């Protein structure tokens, strides 16, 4: 009996061992060997077994738009190429430039993953920067959990706001390009706005474009006219625009103008930069200007004197103070009003400067209140706005072309006729993806 039991147990144990080995093999075949997160703004997690994609997980709503079906089983490189095409198709990559935050852990080294990511994007002629997060701190994971973002993005946000007076909540919804710009310039936008240079934009509406005139391909508009355009020559040298200076790694543009002067009492006199107040000096009196001391002031008119004849006057003239005067209403000339300081109260047309016949002299006082429009800071009696932006590669134009403030190279001697096309009627709208998007445009905040 014992021998029979042994004969029965041996094949059972062998079968179990075979199943165990098969199970281990299957487990190892499905085991995640490398976990990778990519933040672009779409945030994507890829689980790899060796170099094959095991699973792709969208970590936000934007990511769902760029992850096609059936990526599982493809090589990491093939999957990256497909995702890159989807990013371009859905306009998450603009101006052929992208910044990616990369975090990986597992069998594939971070350096190897970075090389594959760079290769995929550069093959699409996209200027690419990969920011590799090598280590996650406790505060990174805490921030990620609080705002439902990846720990890698949280780690970069903590780097961006380090030494700056920025609340993390104003950064969590920003794209990686925006975070990079904030890190370089110190400019940032509140939640709901996107950073563009030193401006904050927020979509407030959409409208259909209208038929209009636009510049044809190969040209660009400058001061309302289309001109032939050529590609600028990009230099390796970093610099600022002509109206800016480079200070501590930032371009500084200073815009200033005279402040608006106001007076609590009186009127602002811009010629002397002072407040003009009135000081009462007395009541005006009537005066005969032509022959003062001789003419008689009579009922507001100045009458010329005539000698008496045998103590009397001719016609209807009357004797007054030993002289004859024509006192009819139209005789003589109108008397003028004069002030105690000798200045006349009458204008050139004879009208009174002060209807109440009271005299004032101008008194200048320096109690001026200066004000500036929004975005400017008052310095003395000047309104000053200092703009800071990241330096850019210097660009040049080939012979015959002029560099415009918009960094376009245009041949201003060769105008081009406009052609029919779609334009936006609202001055605050931009034509994007066949629709006019209206933006609220405000100054960015500075940390």
């Amino acid at each position: 009996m014992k021998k029979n039991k042994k004969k029965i147990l041996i094949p059972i144990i062998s079968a179990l061992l075979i199943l165990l080995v098969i199970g281990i093999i299957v487990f190892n075949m499905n085991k995640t060997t490398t976990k990778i997160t990519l933040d672009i703004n779409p945030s994507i997690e890829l689980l790899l077994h060796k170099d094959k994609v095991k699973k792709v997980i969208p970590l936000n709503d934007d990511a769902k738009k760029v992850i096609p079906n059936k990526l599982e089983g493809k090589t990491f490189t093939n999957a990256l190429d497909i995702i890159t095409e989807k990013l371009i198709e859905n306009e998450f990559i603009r101006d052929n430039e992208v910044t990616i935050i990369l975090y990986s852990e597992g069998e594939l080294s971070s350096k190897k993953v970075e090389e594959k990511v760079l290769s995929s994007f550069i093959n699409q002629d996209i200027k690419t920067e990969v920011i590799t997060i090598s280590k996650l701190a406790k505060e990174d994971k805490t921030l990620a959990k609080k705002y439902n973002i990846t720990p890698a993005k949280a780690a970069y946000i903590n780097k961006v706001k380090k030494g700056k007076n920025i609340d993390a909540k104003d950064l969590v919804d920003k794209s990686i390009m925006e975070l990079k710009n904030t890190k370089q310039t110190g400019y940032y936008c509140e939640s709901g706005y996107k950073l563009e240079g030193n401006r904050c934009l927020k979509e407030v509406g959409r409208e259909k474009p209208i038929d209009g005139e636009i510049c044809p391909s190969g040209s660009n508009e400058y001061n309302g006219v289309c001109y032939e355009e050529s590609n600028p020559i990009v230099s390796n040298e970093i610099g600022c625009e002509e109206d800016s200076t480079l200070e501590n790694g930032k371009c500084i543009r200073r815009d200033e103008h005279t402040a608006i002067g106001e007076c609590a009492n009186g009127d602002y006199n811009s010629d002397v930069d002072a407040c003009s107040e009135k000081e009462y000096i007395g009541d005006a009196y009537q005066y005969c200007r032509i022959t003062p001391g001789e003419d008689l002031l009579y009922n507001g008119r100045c009458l010329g004197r005539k000698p008496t004849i045998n103590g009397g006057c001719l016609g209807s003239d009357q004797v007054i103070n030993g002289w004859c005067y024509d006192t009819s209403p139209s005789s003589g000339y109108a008397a003028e009003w004069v002030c105690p300081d000798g200045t006349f109260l009458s204008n050139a047309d004879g009208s009174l400067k002060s209807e109440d016949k009271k005299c004032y002299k101008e008194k200048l006082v320096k109690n001026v209140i200066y004000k500036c429009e929004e975005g400017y800071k008052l310095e003395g009696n000047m309104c000053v706005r200092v703009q800071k932006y990241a330096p850019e590669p210097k660009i040049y134009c080939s012979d015959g072309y002029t560099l415009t403030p918009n960094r376009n190279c245009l041949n201003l001697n060769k105008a081009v006729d406009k052609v029919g096309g779609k334009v936006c009627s609202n001055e605050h709208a931009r034509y994007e993806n066949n629709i006019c998007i209206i933006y609220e445009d405000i100054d960015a905040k500075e940390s």
Side-chain angles (χ1 to χ4, degrees):
M1 288 293 293
K2 288 183 180 180
K3 287 183 180 181
N4 288 335
K5 285 183 179 180
K6 286 182 179 179
K7 287 180 180 180
I8 295 169
L9 286 173
I10 288 171
I12 293 173
I13 293 170
S14 298
L16 289 173
L17 288 171
I18 291 169
L19 288 173
L20 180 62
V21 170
I22 292 172
I24 292 170
I25 292 171
V26 171
F27 174 77
N28 285 332
M29 285 177 66
N30 291 314
K31 181 182 177 183
T32 298
T33 57
T34 306
K35 183 169 75 172
I36 301 164
T37 58
L38 301 173
D39 287 284
I40 296 173
N41 186 32
S43 295
I44 304 165
E45 183 175 86
L46 296 99
L47 305 181
L48 307 183
H49 173 74
K50 302 299 181 182
D51 192 41
K52 295 290 181 70
V53 175
K54 178 185 169 186
K55 191 173 183 181
V56 184
I57 305 168
L59 300 179
N60 57 14
D61 290 338
D62 286 341
K64 295 174 183 177
K65 301 174 184 177
V66 300
I67 298 178
N69 295 327
K70 299 180 180 178
L71 281 182
E72 288 79 1
K74 295 186 180 296
T75 67
F76 179 42
T77 300
N78 287 342
L80 278 175
D81 291 341
I82 294 169
I83 291 171
T84 303
E85 290 173 1
K86 288 290 183 180
L87 287 167
I88 297 170
E89 183 183 315
N90 287 274
E91 296 189 334
F92 287 112
I93 298 176
R94 295 184 178 181
D95 302 322
N96 284 335
E97 186 176 354
V98 68
T99 300
I100 304 166
I101 293 177
L102 166 68
Y103 175 75
S104 67
E105 55 184 37
E107 189 176 274
L108 277 179
S109 68
S110 296
K111 186 176 180 181
K112 192 68 176 177
V113 174
E114 183 178 326
E115 288 174 356
K116 287 179 177 290
V117 171
L118 277 170
S119 176
S120 179
F121 282 86
I122 291 172
N123 286 341
Q124 295 279 1
D125 293 325
I126 299 170
K127 183 181 177 182
T128 308
E129 179 185 1
V130 176
I131 300 169
T132 301
I133 303 298
S134 57
K135 186 178 180 181
L136 296 174
K138 183 179 179 181
E139 57 265 27
D140 301 331
K141 296 176 182 178
T142 302
L143 183 65
K145 186 176 181 181
K146 181 178 180 180
Y147 292 105
N148 195 28
I149 58 176
T150 68
K153 184 175 181 179
Y156 190 61
I157 287 173
N158 281 329
K159 286 184 180 180
V160 170
K161 71 186 191 73
K162 186 176 181 180
K164 297 182 176 69
N165 185 25
I166 308 177
D167 195 319
K169 68 181 174 64
D170 289 326
L171 300 179
V172 292
D173 66 341
K174 303 297 183 268
S175 70
I176 307 307
M177 285 291 287
E178 288 180 87
L179 292 175
K180 175 186 170 184
N181 289 338
T182 297
K183 189 173 188 294
Q184 290 177 336
T185 67
Y187 285 114
Y188 71 100
C189 301
E190 290 181 353
S191 180
Y193 290 82
K194 66 177 182 179
L195 181 67
E196 188 175 277
N198 62 348
R199 311 297 298 168
C200 291
L201 305 179
K202 180 171 74 173
E203 183 180 330
V204 294
R206 294 190 173 207
E207 62 183 20
K208 290 183 178 179
I210 59 175
D211 292 328
E213 292 184 332
I214 62 173
C215 292
S217 177
S219 67
N220 212 315
E221 187 171 339
Y222 181 64
N223 289 339
V225 180
C226 297
Y227 295 99
E228 284 190 5
E229 182 180 26
S230 72
N231 292 326
I233 303 166
V234 182
S235 167
N236 291 327
E237 184 182 357
I238 300 295
C240 305
E241 296 175 10
E242 289 185 1
D243 60 348
S244 306
T245 57
L246 184 63
E247 299 176 17
N248 298 324
K250 290 185 180 180
C251 294
I252 309 296
R253 181 188 292 116
R254 185 180 175 88
D255 176 22
E256 62 182 27
H257 59 266
T258 304
I260 301 166
E262 293 182 359
C263 299
N265 297 310
D267 300 319
Y268 177 64
N269 189 326
S270 59
D271 293 334
V272 292
D273 188 28
C275 293
S276 177
E277 297 181 356
K278 291 180 179 179
E279 182 181 1
Y280 174 69
I281 58 173
D283 292 346
Y285 58 90
Q286 287 187 303
Y287 179 74
C288 295
R289 182 187 291 196
I290 299 177
T291 51
E294 293 185 8
D295 293 342
L296 175 69
L297 181 63
Y298 184 84
N299 291 336
R301 299 189 66 79
C302 296
L303 309 179
R305 63 188 183 184
K306 306 173 186 177
T308 59
I309 301 174
N310 297 324
C313 300
L314 297 175
S316 60
D317 290 355
Q318 296 182 23
V319 177
I320 302 175
N321 298 330
W323 295 90
C324 292
Y325 294 96
D326 179 1
T327 58
S328 61
S330 60
S331 64
Y333 60 92
E336 294 189 66
W337 291 93
V338 68
C339 292
D341 64 353
T343 58
F344 286 91
L345 194 62
S346 304
N347 293 309
D349 61 358
S351 61
L352 289 175
K353 296 176 184 177
S354 175
E355 294 297 334
D356 60 1
K357 300 180 181 64
K358 295 186 180 297
C359 294
Y360 304 88
K361 71 175 181 179
E362 186 181 51
K363 180 182 179 182
L364 296 177
V365 291
K366 280 289 185 179
N367 58 343
V368 180
I369 302 167
Y370 296 106
K371 293 185 177 179
C372 296
E373 57 267 53
E374 186 177 353
Y376 285 82
K377 182 181 179 181
L378 184 64
E379 294 183 6
N381 65 343
M382 299 297 292
C383 293
V384 178
R385 179 172 64 181
V386 177
Q387 296 174 295
K388 298 180 182 180
Y389 60 94
E392 298 178 332
K394 287 188 176 181
I395 61 175
Y396 304 92
C397 297
S398 55
D399 290 343
Y401 288 82
T402 301
L403 183 65
T404 69
N406 292 331
R407 296 170 69 85
N408 296 321
C409 289
L410 304 179
N411 188 334
L412 300 182
N413 294 316
K414 291 188 178 180
V416 180
D417 291 335
K418 291 186 175 183
V419 297
K422 297 295 183 181
V423 296
C424 300
S425 58
N426 191 305
E427 63 177 333
H428 300 295
R430 296 184 184 183
Y431 184 62
E432 299 177 11
N433 200 22
N434 300 320
I435 195 73
C436 291
I437 302 178
I438 304 168
Y439 288 104
E440 178 187 354
D441 184 338
I442 60 175
D443 287 334
K445 294 190 173 184
E446 189 173 0
S447 60

